Amino acid sequence: MKYHCILLIFVGILTNIPHLKSQIVNIEDKRVRLGDSITLKGYVDLGLNFYKNDKHLTTARASFQVEKVLDKHFMMLIGGYNLVKGEGQNFLNDGFMHFRHNIDINRHLVWESFTQIQYNERTRMLFRGLLGAGVRIKLRLAQKQRFYIGTAYVVEQNQFRDETPRQLNHRLSTYLSYNVQLPNKSRLVHTTYFQPLLTDFNNFRMASEVSWLMNITNRLILKATANLSNDNDPRTPKEIPDLTYSWTNGLRWDF
């Protein structure tokens, strides 16, 4: 029975690992804008599971996304919460919220501003707040392929659960993203982020993520994601690993 409980905990963690495990929230595979002039789109994802043999395990997750397109303006609000709890301790307990506003300057150039808050109990992150703005360049390599380059200035505030003083950082956030439409109503999205301190490019965070999404119906989507990240900031608490990775699978309902 002990090994059954360990297996349930492992499965619960795998099905609830969020993108912020790497401490960089990837929003590229969450953009559902497809050239509409005026539209409102989004989804809500909720889950609550209980497991009982000789032990108790509870898993809960919630996420949402709302997008609004109005002429040259694109606004997006996304958020997520994850909890895996068993044996009187939290194996996961984290959440985030992100708001982004894009303004099309021309067919290939976009001005975007954003703000984000998040926390992660397991990595001792009590609070992280971001405020940034920059440009996004859109390139179309082929009919069903899109390539994006983005760079932004970001002000970041961190607070960890230890004696580390509150940090105020100024970072450059850059990313490369590739989006290709595949057969059978599926698509592949790859994004790599590089976020160095403006005062020290040797102090950086880097994350790379690949997502495969397939439409089962017009609203139901199957999604698989692989994520690898590295954070080499020497001020980060020693309990937090520099290198993290994850593989997640799930379903999404669009509205």
Side-chain angles (χ1 to χ4, degrees):
M1 300 296 286
K2 176 180 178 181
Y3 298 104
H4 291 164
C5 181
I6 294 175
L7 178 60
L8 287 173
I9 292 174
F10 180 69
V11 172
I13 291 176
L14 283 182
T15 56
N16 285 274
I17 291 177
H19 290 290
L20 64 94
K21 178 180 176 65
S22 65
Q23 302 185 23
I24 297 178
V25 179
N26 178 21
I27 63 111
E28 286 301 302
D29 67 337
K30 301 175 179 61
R31 298 178 189 257
V32 297
R33 182 178 180 180
L34 300 174
D36 308 90
S37 58
I38 300 177
T39 188
L40 178 66
K41 293 184 178 182
Y43 70 84
V44 175
D45 183 11
L46 300 171
L48 182 63
N49 304 300
F50 299 95
Y51 302 95
K52 171 67 171 69
N53 42 44
D54 61 332
K55 308 293 182 182
H56 292 270
L57 177 67
T58 300
T59 70
R61 58 184 172 84
S63 63
F64 71 91
Q65 176 174 335
V66 179
E67 293 188 352
K68 176 67 176 178
V69 180
L70 181 60
D71 296 328
K72 296 183 178 181
H73 296 266
F74 167 70
M75 290 162 283
M76 176 172 64
L77 178 65
I78 60 177
Y81 169 75
N82 285 265
L83 175 68
V84 177
K85 185 175 183 178
E87 293 302 290
Q89 63 175 311
N90 293 335
F91 295 95
L92 283 178
N93 181 14
D94 47 45
F96 78 96
M97 188 170 294
H98 180 103
F99 175 75
R100 183 169 295 247
H101 180 201
N102 286 10
I103 303 175
D104 291 339
I105 299 175
N106 55 43
R107 290 182 56 190
H108 301 289
L109 187 61
V110 175
W111 173 261
E112 57 182 2
S113 56
F114 55 90
T115 184
Q116 177 179 302
I117 57 173
Q118 65 188 100
Y119 81 96
N120 191 324
E121 180 184 17
R122 296 301 296 174
T123 60
R124 299 178 179 269
M125 183 197 299
L126 291 176
F127 173 82
R128 170 170 289 163
L130 305 177
L131 184 64
V135 294
R136 171 182 173 88
I137 300 173
K138 303 185 295 183
L139 301 174
R140 177 169 290 187
L141 304 181
Q143 181 65 28
K144 297 183 178 181
Q145 301 178 23
R146 291 182 176 87
F147 185 73
Y148 303 94
I149 303 173
T151 184
Y153 164 69
V154 179
V155 178
E156 171 191 89
Q157 181 174 289
N158 297 322
Q159 180 63 54
F160 293 96
R161 193 191 303 275
D162 58 13
E163 300 301 323
T164 305
R166 179 172 297 186
Q167 302 173 6
L168 181 63
N169 300 323
H170 299 269
R171 290 188 181 273
L172 177 67
S173 178
T174 62
Y175 65 84
L176 300 174
S177 180
Y178 181 70
N179 187 325
V180 58
Q181 297 293 325
L182 301 174
N184 301 319
K185 296 182 179 181
S186 63
R187 63 188 174 105
L188 186 71
V189 180
H190 170 257
T191 307
T192 295
Y193 289 89
F194 180 66
Q195 299 179 338
L197 286 179
L198 287 175
T199 56
D200 182 7
F201 269 49
N202 292 319
N203 185 332
F204 63 87
R205 287 198 298 267
M206 188 173 183
S208 187
E209 183 172 293
V210 178
S211 294
W212 175 76
L213 302 93
M214 184 181 74
N215 282 75
I216 300 175
T217 68
N218 289 335
R219 299 185 181 275
L220 186 61
I221 298 173
L222 174 65
K223 179 180 178 181
T225 299
N227 182 292
L228 178 68
S229 68
N230 181 64
D231 185 345
N232 73 340
D233 191 333
R235 299 167 300 172
T236 302
K238 296 181 180 180
E239 295 83 0
I240 302 177
D242 294 340
L243 182 67
T244 60
Y245 58 89
S246 66
W247 172 271
T248 60
N249 300 281
L251 295 172
R252 193 175 79 187
W253 179 263
D254 284 356
F255 63 84

